Amino acid sequence: MARVVIGLSGGVDSSVAAYLLQQQGHEVVGLFMVNWHDTTGTLEGDCPWHDDRLFAELVARRLDIPLHVVDLSEHYRRRVVEYMFAEYERGRTPNPDVLCNREIKFDVFLKEALKLGADYVATGHYCRKREEPTADGRTAYRLLAGSDPGKDQSYFLCQLSQEQLRYALFPVGEMLKTEVRRIAQEQQLATARRKDSQGICFVGKVDLPLFLQQRLAARTGNVHEIKAAWPRYARTAPETATETASAATPAAAPETASAPAQAAAPPQPGDQPSTERLAALAAPWRYTVRDGKKIGTHSGAHFYTVGQRKGLGIGGRRESLFVLATDVQENVIYVGEGDAHPGLWRPALRIDPAEVHWIDPSEAMREGESRRYAVRIRYRQPLQQATLYRRREGLFILFDTPQRGIAAGQFAAWYDGEVLAGSGTIAE
C-alpha cells in the first residue's frame, strides 16, 4: 500500500478520510497547515486555527498516526489573500477557496507532503477521481462530482491540473455526509460533532468590509436606484457590446435547470451566433448616475458585489434592494428592488482566453468550436444547461435560461455529465 499524507484540518471530513485510508491499509501521515495568523475582521474566536490544530492532534492521537505542522501563511498571504484584495479593489468578486485549492492545498502543501515521502495527498473534499487510459498511452485523471449532491465540492477544485490530480485522493467522495458523521461517532473521533467550517478558506467567517479595510480604505459614495422600467431593459436587441440581454431575458427566472416560459429557446446544434452578438449578450449592464435616483450612501463600492442584498442599510421597501452593479472608479453602487429585477439577469458571460482552464488540456475546445455543457457559476448552484463557444476573444457561455447575479471574478465551471471538464474566471 501507499504512503498517504492527509491534510488534517481539524474537521470531521478529513478526520474520517484519514480513518478510511488507514482501514484500506495505507501508511497515513497527518499534516496540519497554519495559513493565517491575523484575526482582523474575524467573527469567531481570537485564533481559530489554534482550535483546529487541537482537534487535528486529538484525531491523530486517536488514530495513532503522526501529525506534522507546517506554516504556509506567507504563501497563503501572497498567493491567495493579496489576490483577493486586488480583485475587490478592481470591483470584482474573487473566490478565495478555489485559489486556495489550486495555489496552496495542491501546490505548496503537495510539495511539503512530497518532502515527507508521500505517494499521494488526501483531503476531505466531497468529490471523486477517476483514472482512464488514453489512446496515446497516457493516463487521464478525471475530476468527478461527489456522490452527496448536497455536499459536492468539485466546484472548489475546478482549477486543478492533471499533475495535481495525479497525486490526489478523496476518500469521502463516494459517501454521504450522514455516513461520515456516523463513522466519526462510531470511531469516537473528537471532530464527530464539530460544525463544518464556514467563511474564507483558512480565515473563517469574517465581516468582509472590516476584513478588506486592512488594505482598502472606506470611502463614502452614493447609492443610485435603477427602476425595473429603465428603457434599455425593454430593447429587443443590444445595439452595442456594452448593452446586453434582449427582451427574451425574463423579469424573473428561477435558478434551476428548468427554463421559464419567457426564456429564449436554447441554441440548436450547429448554431453559430456572431462574436458580436455573443459579446453583446455577455456584457454586463452599464449605468450612469443619470439613469437612476440617489437613495442613500455607502462606505465603498469595492465592498459590494452583484446580487448582494445585505449590508445596504436602506429600508422602507416592499421588497429587498439588490446590488445590480458597482463602479469603483466613481465609487457608485447601483441597486434595484426585488430579486425579479431585470438588471440582475444576464443570458451569457465571457472568459478571457488566458483564463480558460481545462482539467485535461487534450479536451480543450478549438477556436470556432461549440459544445453543450452543464455549467455553474457559484458553489451549490444547480447545474445550468448552456452552450460554450470558443472564439478568438475568449470563451462565451450562452445559457438556455438567463442567470441571476453573474459576477466578474467568480469562476464558471462546466460539466460533462458528472465529470468537471473545465473552468474559468468570469471576465466582466
Side-chain angles (χ1 to χ4, degrees):
M1 288 295 180
R3 180 177 174 88
V4 182
V5 172
I6 183 164
L8 274 184
S9 66
V12 67
D13 301 323
S14 63
S15 302
V16 171
Y19 167 77
L20 294 173
L21 290 167
Q22 195 177 54
Q23 291 301 109
Q24 293 165 11
H26 296 296
E27 179 189 358
V28 182
V29 176
L31 184 56
F32 179 84
M33 291 178 281
V34 179
N35 282 340
W36 193 245
H37 295 280
D38 193 346
T39 60
T40 303
T42 57
L43 298 178
E44 50 188 33
D46 292 332
C47 293
W49 68 265
H50 285 174
D51 292 339
D52 293 338
R53 177 174 175 172
L54 173 61
F55 276 96
E57 290 172 344
L58 292 172
V59 169
R61 192 175 308 150
R62 175 66 180 170
L63 297 178
D64 193 24
I65 63 174
L67 179 66
H68 301 266
V69 178
V70 60
D71 190 328
L72 304 180
S73 56
E74 177 57 27
H75 295 281
Y76 186 78
R77 179 196 61 78
R78 180 166 45 85
R79 297 170 68 168
V80 178
V81 177
E82 292 295 330
Y83 167 88
M84 182 178 165
F85 284 135
E87 286 287 271
Y88 274 109
E89 189 171 25
R90 294 172 59 195
R92 293 160 59 88
T93 306
N95 191 314
D97 290 332
V98 173
L99 265 293
C100 180
N101 284 311
R102 186 184 76 188
E103 301 290 329
I104 305 299
K105 291 180 183 175
F106 292 93
D107 189 341
V108 183
F109 176 85
L110 172 60
K111 292 172 182 174
E112 292 293 328
L114 293 176
K115 291 178 184 177
L116 295 174
D119 297 306
Y120 296 97
V121 167
T123 69
H125 284 103
Y126 286 83
C127 59
R128 296 171 291 154
K129 184 181 87 169
R130 186 170 69 207
E131 299 183 9
E132 297 178 355
T134 64
D136 57 3
R138 65 184 179 88
T139 299
Y141 301 97
R142 310 295 186 202
L143 178 63
L144 282 68
S147 295
D148 188 335
K151 288 295 296 182
D152 170 35
Q153 294 175 312
S154 58
Y155 174 83
F156 289 134
L157 304 178
C158 67
Q159 287 277 294
L160 295 193
S161 66
Q162 287 289 288
E163 182 66 10
Q164 290 170 316
L165 277 175
R166 180 168 77 89
Y167 289 102
L169 294 178
F170 307 112
V172 302
E174 301 277 357
M175 304 178 68
L176 301 177
K177 182 74 175 193
T178 52
E179 295 178 274
V180 171
R181 289 283 185 192
R182 176 182 57 78
I183 291 174
Q185 292 175 8
E186 289 176 351
Q187 299 306 315
Q188 300 179 3
L189 300 179
T191 54
R193 299 183 183 277
R194 200 173 187 214
K195 292 182 179 179
D196 291 343
S197 60
Q198 295 180 324
I200 301 171
C201 183
F202 292 116
V203 176
K205 294 186 71 174
V206 300
D207 177 330
L208 188 60
L210 181 60
F211 181 81
L212 293 176
Q213 282 178 38
Q214 295 175 79
R215 284 278 303 274
L216 308 180
R219 187 160 59 102
T220 301
N222 294 331
V223 178
H224 284 250
E225 180 180 7
I226 305 297
K227 297 293 187 180
W230 187 52
R232 290 188 183 178
Y233 292 143
R235 295 183 180 177
T236 57
E239 293 182 355
T240 72
T242 61
E243 296 175 16
T244 75
S246 68
T249 303
E255 194 174 84
T256 67
S258 59
Q262 289 179 295
Q268 299 302 308
D271 282 357
Q272 288 294 327
S274 68
T275 300
E276 291 74 16
R277 175 65 175 168
L278 288 170
L281 292 171
W285 296 105
R286 308 288 190 185
Y287 309 101
T288 71
V289 293
R290 296 185 299 275
D291 295 319
K293 178 183 177 182
K294 176 187 171 182
I295 59 170
T297 60
H298 60 80
S299 59
H302 41 254
F303 298 144
Y304 297 84
T305 186
V306 173
Q308 181 175 335
R309 176 175 61 87
K310 296 181 179 180
L312 289 169
I314 301 173
R317 296 302 185 104
R318 180 177 299 177
E319 296 185 73
S320 298
L321 291 172
F322 292 83
V323 176
L324 305 179
T326 63
D327 183 340
V328 294
Q329 299 300 319
E330 299 298 327
N331 199 29
V332 177
I333 292 175
Y334 297 97
V335 301
E337 185 173 355
D339 62 4
H341 194 288
L344 285 172
W345 301 87
R346 285 164 55 189
L349 61 85
R350 182 180 65 84
I351 298 170
D352 286 331
E355 296 290 334
V356 179
H357 172 75
W358 293 89
I359 299 291
D360 184 349
S362 70
E363 297 181 345
M365 293 172 61
R366 300 181 302 275
E367 189 174 318
E369 186 180 359
S370 63
R371 292 183 197 164
R372 294 284 291 171
Y373 285 102
V375 182
R376 61 168 47 105
I377 58 173
R378 62 182 68 88
Y379 177 50
R380 288 189 175 176
Q381 180 198 28
L383 288 170
Q384 309 289 300
Q385 298 303 311
T387 302
L388 275 61
Y389 297 90
R390 185 70 170 90
R391 302 292 169 84
R392 182 174 57 83
E393 292 78 5
L395 185 70
F396 292 93
I397 300 179
L398 180 59
F399 295 94
D400 295 0
T401 302
Q403 299 297 298
R404 180 186 180 281
I406 295 176
Q410 287 284 289
F411 288 89
W414 46 93
Y415 292 72
D416 180 5
E418 61 182 358
V419 177
L420 198 164
S423 66
T425 312
I426 299 172
E428 57 182 3

